[in-house]
Amino acid sequence: MSQLKQTSYEPLTEPAAIELALSLTIFTENAELSCREIGDGNLNLVFHIVDVKGGKGVIIKQALPYAKVVGESWPLTVKRAKIEADALKTFGQLAPDYVPKVYFTDDVLAVTVMEDLSHLLIARTGFINGETYPLISKHLGEYLAKTLFYTSDYGLGPAAKKEQVQKFINPELCKITEDLIFTDPYFDADTNEFEDSLRTDVEALWQDAELKFHVNVLKRSFLTEAEVLLHGDLHTGSIFAGNSDTKVIDPEFAFYGPAGFDIGQVFANLLFEVIANDSKRDHFIRHIKTVWSVFKDEFSRLWNTENKVLSAKTDTFLRYNLSKFFEDSIGFAGCELIRRTIGLAHVADLDSIEDEQIRLAAKRKTLELGKILIKQRKEITDVPSFIEKVHGVL
Amino acid sequence: MSQLKQTSYEPLTEPAAIELALSLTIFTENAELSCREIGDGNLNLVFHIVDVKGGKGVIIKQALPYAKVVGESWPLTVKRAKIEADALKTFGQLAPDYVPKVYFTDDVLAVTVMEDLSHLLIARTGFINGETYPLISKHLGEYLAKTLFYTSDYGLGPAAKKEQVQKFINPELCKITEDLIFTDPYFDADTNEFEDSLRTDVEALWQDAELKFHVNVLKRSFLTEAEVLLHGDLHTGSIFAGNSDTKVIDPEFAFYGPAGFDIGQVFANLLFEVIANDSKRDHFIRHIKTVWSVFKDEFSRLWNTENKVLSAKTDTFLRYNLSKFFEDSIGFAGCELIRRTIGLAHVADLDSIEDEQIRLAAKRKTLELGKILIKQRKEITDVPSFIEKVHGVL
């Protein structure tokens, strides 16, 4: 298979993946490549190709035309591979330290060939294994500030930003978020998954009109507020980490939305460790504080030095933007806490707790904290008051 | 010229416009057509074609590749003709009583052939001539409710709405609004136009940091909040009116933005008559009240009966949406009042006041009311408090 002759989509086999890798002049001519499909097969094929002589490797990721995670029958076009490839390139230009290098993309085959990150571990897995990754929060704060500032009207200029909005319209993947985060957890939907012992708590949540009002407001923000190019799925399973490196992967949910959505998913996924992992609690609370303080400082620096909208470059308007982002991030974090507890896609931080009573107690805490963050986000105006609410449920 | 053979843009002549009209089977074979170019030549050619025997007519509107209103040298692509044609068709489907019928469009020639509305008058001209058009506010309330509801996530469904957002990305025309409404009036820009006698008032406005903060927030809403398909330029010069008919024309500024923008422009352009036209003041205040009450009732009815987002169909969330629209519309009305007084594009309601002292007094009132509406929009939560602010400057 020559790299540019493909005119129709077909799933790659391991030999075809090797052939593609060889055609790209990433490896030397005498390379001897081994290939292993390492994806979970739910949404994508992921081939890990290594030169057994040189040790160098690449990843080939190919979108599959369906989503298994929501049942065999949920069809999903492979257009998302183009969104993902475009987002990786955009984020890679803006925050090169924190995004895997992209070597080649093909929209027809729906493949991206990218940097091999197998020396790192998925952050969630690392956390569950006891790692704390001391630099991950500083890196994520910088990644968020750079990607969210430079893709905004203020970093890009309004005309260029509108072109990006058009390019990243992403109805299929947004629908998954709209359903699984903002809709299904709030009524008795078939997609929900929770222990029978939690049914009383969950039914109380379904009856909570005030909560559902606030979730409607947050969903409205997700549907209408085209502030920045979001990663769109920035949980700790989309982050490769090591003690010195952090790489954000899998931006197939990318679209223009409210900046607080990415920040809130980072907050919530660190909160799962705060709640599930007693012995490392202070580490993860510090991570949350660091994400926000690094984000705020770097975003402010970029606002003041790189702003394309001159009239907007005032301290009061910068503070307005940061306050809005913080309030939104608190609300979206609450949504993530709830949906990962009772919705379709759970997190191993909670589900891997073996003792049933401890696991249920942790899940009741994520539900309780989720409700508080969603309803009280306007009063939670800074990190100390946020952390106070967290301590309140521990 | 046969209707589909044109492969490149050229401005139409009167004979070419007649030839185009004849090719469209709108007129009978033995029609005898007369043609007159009636546009102001700033942005578009407008041909009025009439069958001198049958009396039937059509309008052919063609975009020009520049904008004279902002100087000969401001180039503007004719792509806007496609946006306008697409918007006319969309709005015409949603509110057929209030939008001219479209017979033919051609993106290459940048022409739209549409219903002849020459039995009506531009509403602003009619108002200045002493007309009050008793039904115009009921019609505009219905037009706004239908176009703003049915193009929203709630009227259209989130996936179909995203496609419309993509289709109506409109950087060139939005830039005109961003500059002329939200930016230039707030500093000493070359585009501004005002009487020397107003300089002290205008300089005070340029020094008003609180005002400029609020304008930044409203501009941010215009840049980021893709709530509904807006007309985008809904002043009384974009409305044909008669005693029984109201037709909204010229949606070339259409794009997905905050619903309050269209509503606010309607409010502000009625306010020019409230302020400029003492003897008809109560008529125009009643018009403002009617626009909002008809809009609110019809939007609420559609929300409850046609909502595609089932979880959103609650009274509290409907009220949240209406409150947001109202607050935004008050702020955007304030911006329109100010920019039409000191910015590039003025309104004849004010400029045609012959007595200089009366004219200057009226302009000081629009500036003062503009500032109040922008700064106090969060406190102006209903029509009575809005009208109270209006009376405060009269």
Side-chain angles (χ1 to χ4, degrees), chain A residues 162 166 178 220 224 226 321, chain B residues 162 166 178 220 224 226 321:
Chain A
K162 288 181 183 72
Q166 193 165 39
E178 290 155 19
R220 183 188 197 284
T224 63
N321 279 273
Chain B
K162 288 180 184 72
Q166 193 166 41
E178 290 155 20
R220 183 188 197 282
T224 63
N321 279 273

Side-chain angles (χ1 to χ4, degrees), chain A residues 3 15 30 34 84 116 126 141 143 147 173 175 184 197 211 241 253 257 260 317 382 391:
Chain A
Q3 79 181 70
N30 59 351
S34 80
E84 176 168 357
D116 177 13
Y143 166 88
T147 60
L173 281 282
K175 181 172 171 23
D184 294 358
S197 317
L211 179 71
F253 285 75
F317 189 52
D382 55 20
H391 280 294

